[in-house]
């Protein structure tokens, strides 16, 4: 199941306060930086836009920075969205060590004619930064938000017709040192 043409935004900034300020995108799971794993998952995109500081691991991606840097996911998403030309956009966080190309393809398939398809875990926790959106619907959702810094992503997406794809492994992100350790152990075991 090959996804239709799409662009991708990888959110790779933020303060990582729950990680002690570490550069989460460059932390390693299974011997590879997290950002490399995520970029591999969206390698089929026509254009890949990484929002965050340049690290040298971005390959063919365009690297941009939201203003001010670290203004939050809505500001970063809006910054990346300005560079998207495709009808669909995969939006992923750089801290997801188990996201794969087939997961992105499943999100595309689930989207259908809706506004967005996002991952959720078995507890029903949504991952709006592991999703595929209709680009125009996402632009409409973000347009009324005049002050992007510190705005809730869930609040900004509230009016969208969203579907979920359950995947307890691909939806894992590394927000804390404990999350990172658990991902490393899972990678060793699998």
């Amino acid at each position: 199941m090959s996804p239709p043409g799409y662009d991708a935004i990888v959110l790779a900034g933020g303060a990582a306060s729950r990680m002690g300020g570490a550069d989460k995108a460059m932390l390693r799971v299974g011997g590879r930086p997290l950002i490399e794993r995520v970029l591999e998952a969206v390698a089929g995109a026509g254009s890949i836009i990484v929002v965050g500081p340049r690290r040298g691991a971005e390959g063919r991606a365009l690297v941009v920075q939201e203003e001010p840097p670290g203004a939050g996911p809505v500001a970063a998403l809006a910054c990346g969205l300005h560079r998207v030309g495709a009808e669909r956009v995969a939006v992923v966080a750089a801290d997801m060590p188990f996201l794969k190309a087939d997961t992105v393809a499943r999100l595309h398939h689930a989207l259908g004619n809706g506004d967005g398809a996002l991952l959720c875990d078995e507890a029903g926790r949504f991952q709006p930064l592991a999703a595929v959106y209709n680009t125009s619907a996402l632009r409409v959702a973000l347009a009324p938000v005049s002050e992007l810094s510190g705005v809730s992503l869930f609040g900004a997406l509230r009016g969208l017709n969203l579907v979920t794809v359950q995947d307890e492994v691909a939806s894992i992100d590394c927000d804390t040192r404990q999350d990172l350790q658990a991902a490393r152990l899972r990678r060793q075991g699998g």
Side-chain angles (χ1 to χ4, degrees):
M1 157 176 53
S2 177
Y6 72 100
D7 288 344
I9 299 171
V10 177
L11 300 184
S17 57
R18 291 185 283 170
M19 191 71 77
D23 184 357
K24 288 196 306 182
M26 295 306 289
L27 295 174
R28 293 177 177 272
V29 171
R32 294 177 58 207
L34 291 171
I35 194 167
E36 284 184 11
R37 294 182 174 284
V38 171
L39 288 169
E40 186 176 281
V42 295
S47 294
I48 300 172
I49 301 103
V50 174
V51 183
R54 178 165 293 286
R55 295 173 174 89
E58 296 88 1
R60 67 176 180 94
L62 169 67
V63 180
V64 298
Q65 181 73 59
E66 76 277 18
E67 284 297 327
V74 174
L77 181 54
C79 176
L81 197 56
H82 287 301
R83 280 103 175 149
V84 171
E87 290 183 18
R88 290 181 172 196
V89 58
V91 176
V92 296
D95 65 351
M96 303 191 77
F98 302 106
L99 191 69
K100 298 201 179 303
D102 68 333
T103 310
V104 175
R106 286 189 302 134
L107 288 165
H108 277 286
H109 180 72
L111 175 60
N113 293 323
D115 296 333
L118 48 100
L119 285 182
C120 72
D121 63 17
E122 58 193 6
R125 186 179 77 133
F126 301 129
Q127 285 283 16
L129 298 181
V132 172
Y133 295 98
N134 173 303
T135 303
S136 61
L138 189 56
R139 284 189 173 121
V140 167
L142 295 183
V145 183
S146 60
E147 177 58 45
L148 298 173
S149 183
V151 171
S152 158
L153 183 56
F154 282 112
L157 301 178
R158 182 179 27 245
L160 294 181
N161 175 23
L162 302 174
V163 297
T164 59
V165 172
Q166 185 175 334
D167 190 321
E168 56 276 356
V169 176
S171 62
I172 293 171
D173 59 1
C174 294
D175 288 330
T176 66
R177 292 277 177 198
Q178 293 82 7
D179 294 342
L180 181 64
Q181 185 60 27
R184 287 173 172 162
L185 290 172
R186 178 180 283 275
R187 178 62 67 183
Q188 288 174 353

